[in-house]
Structures are given as structure tokens and as C-alpha cells.
Amino acid sequence: MSILLNACTSDTNEQKVDSTALADSSEAIVSNWECIPGEKAGLITSGSSEQQLINKLGKANVSVHDTIYGAEGMFSIGTIIYKGTPNEAHITWKDTLNFKDPAYVEIGFVEPGKENEVQWYVTNGVKVGTKLTELEQINGKPFNFSGFGWDYGGSVVDWNGGKLMNADSTSYLSIILAYDYENQALSSVAEKVMGDQSFESKNPHAQKLNPFVAHFIISFK
């Protein structure tokens, strides 16, 4: 599986979408926060464009032609929605000239400790804050992730044929795990699952550390 690794504009005539208000409506939650790998991330589908998002969400909620940073100093120009809020999401486009047809959407740009404020969720039960042991249950079996402490640290690299992998061995859901780096009590455990190598989620040290989903990435068919 391939692992894909914040200036808002305003318009006084544009009604800004209130994320809190959306949360009060179950219908709004489904249409705006529900993610189906390969198909949609809220209102974003494979045929979406930046202009369509402006029309639907309002200019104040769409940061156009913004910089999307990745691992190893790489970056691209894409679109950020709900910038500066727990629901911030970064969109990278296949058509980078016309800013349409998303390649993937990354979610999980929230301050540590506020993971439960992210409203985005995947229909299979994955969300920001989901623990490693919970992720195993959703997948139906252990999986492999890269060791912590480098640019691709915590990335799930193989679902090992579990439910989060398609029959053709592809997956449109990428996961990046993290743990509380400031918790010194976890340091001695974390150092056992560090570096550019693969670890099984059933590894005793991984189980004890029990990292959580810091980012999840929806890519499109």
C-alpha cells in the first residue's frame, strides 16, 4: 500500500459555515464528515473541484491555492478547508492546473489532546484518536506500521489482508499513528518501536504503547 504523506479568505456577502451548527444535525454530519475510502470525504468526491467547495462551503471555509506540506520537506499547492479548526482537511488534486479531481484528503490537523474534537469519521469506525488495539479490531487482524521517530514514522504499511484492505490488495485508507511524545512515562516503551523498520501491531511494546490515529488519508478511485 502506498502511504501518502495552514490564510483564509473572507467575503462579507458569504455565509460562513458553522461547524458547531453542522454538528447539531445528524444529516449534516453524514453529508459533511462521513468518509468512505475510495469514494468520498464529506462533500468531496472524485469529481470535486476547488470552486465547487467554495460554492458549497463558502469562501471563508476554503483556503485556495494553499501549501500542502508532506514528509521530507516535500510540498504541493492544494486546498485547505476549515483551516485553523479541529476539522481542518488538506486536499491534494490530480489536476493541479484547474484544482479539481482530488487525489487524496488528509485529516488530523489538531492540537495534541483535542483529537476528540475532530468530527470527521470513516464509515468502518476509524477516526482521529482511534487506538491501535481498536484499529486491530476494525481490521479483523493485526497490521504492520513503520517505527516512530522519522518522517514516515507511525504509517500503517500493511493491513495484512484485513478488512481495511480490498480484495485486490489495495486500500484507499492510509493511517498515521502517534503517541503522546511529551509523556516521559512512554519513552522507554516507544524506543522499542522506533526507526525505519516495520513492526507488527501485536508486538508487546506496540500494544503497551497503544498509539492512536493522528491522521487518516482518504484517496480516490
Side-chain angles (χ1 to χ4, degrees):
M1 178 185 66
S2 185
I3 298 295
L4 302 172
L5 282 155
N6 278 318
C8 294
T9 59
S10 61
D11 187 333
T12 54
N13 296 319
E14 195 75 38
Q15 181 68 36
K16 181 174 180 179
V17 177
D18 186 342
S19 297
T20 304
L22 287 174
D24 293 334
S25 166
S26 59
E27 181 179 352
I29 290 174
V30 170
S31 62
N32 288 280
W33 311 120
E34 180 185 67
C35 299
I36 302 176
E39 299 182 18
K40 58 172 284 188
L43 297 174
I44 307 162
T45 65
S46 61
S48 292
S49 69
E50 186 176 75
Q51 186 58 54
Q52 287 177 345
L53 292 178
I54 293 172
N55 295 342
K56 292 177 179 179
L57 301 178
K59 290 183 179 180
N61 286 305
V62 183
S63 184
V64 302
H65 301 188
D66 210 331
T67 305
I68 308 295
Y69 293 98
E72 299 181 332
M74 294 186 295
F75 67 90
S76 61
I77 303 301
T79 305
I80 298 177
I81 60 174
Y82 302 120
K83 188 171 182 176
T85 77
N87 291 312
E88 180 171 326
H90 295 189
I91 307 165
T92 298
W93 305 97
K94 293 177 182 177
D95 184 341
T96 56
L97 181 61
N98 298 299
F99 293 86
K100 66 178 185 177
D101 306 332
Y104 56 90
V105 179
E106 183 170 359
I107 293 157
F109 300 93
V110 64
E111 294 179 16
K114 295 185 177 182
E115 290 79 17
N116 63 348
E117 296 183 18
V118 180
Q119 293 172 272
W120 298 95
Y121 66 94
V122 186
T123 51
N124 54 34
V126 175
K127 59 183 180 179
V128 172
T130 297
K131 294 285 192 175
L132 175 143
T133 50
E134 297 173 303
L135 202 54
E136 280 186 323
Q137 294 175 1
I138 294 170
N139 190 47
K141 59 172 59 180
F143 56 87
N144 285 60
F145 66 95
S146 61
F148 297 103
W150 65 301
D151 279 359
Y152 295 100
S155 299
V156 174
V157 296
D158 197 337
W159 294 114
N160 295 327
K163 296 177 182 178
L164 296 178
M165 178 178 284
N166 300 321
D168 61 358
S169 297
T170 62
S171 178
Y172 295 99
L173 173 67
S174 298
I175 297 291
I176 302 173
L177 302 170
Y179 64 94
D180 184 356
Y181 301 100
E182 295 185 356
N183 187 342
Q184 295 300 313
L186 298 176
S187 298
S188 60
V189 181
E191 66 183 14
K192 305 295 184 181
V193 286
M194 284 282 180
D196 182 6
Q197 57 183 309
S198 177
F199 294 91
E200 289 187 312
S201 59
K202 65 180 180 180
N203 178 296
H205 302 296
Q207 291 279 312
K208 186 174 181 180
L209 186 64
N210 203 17
F212 59 88
V213 174
H215 298 260
F216 68 81
I217 303 164
I218 302 294
S219 53
F220 296 84
K221 297 177 182 178

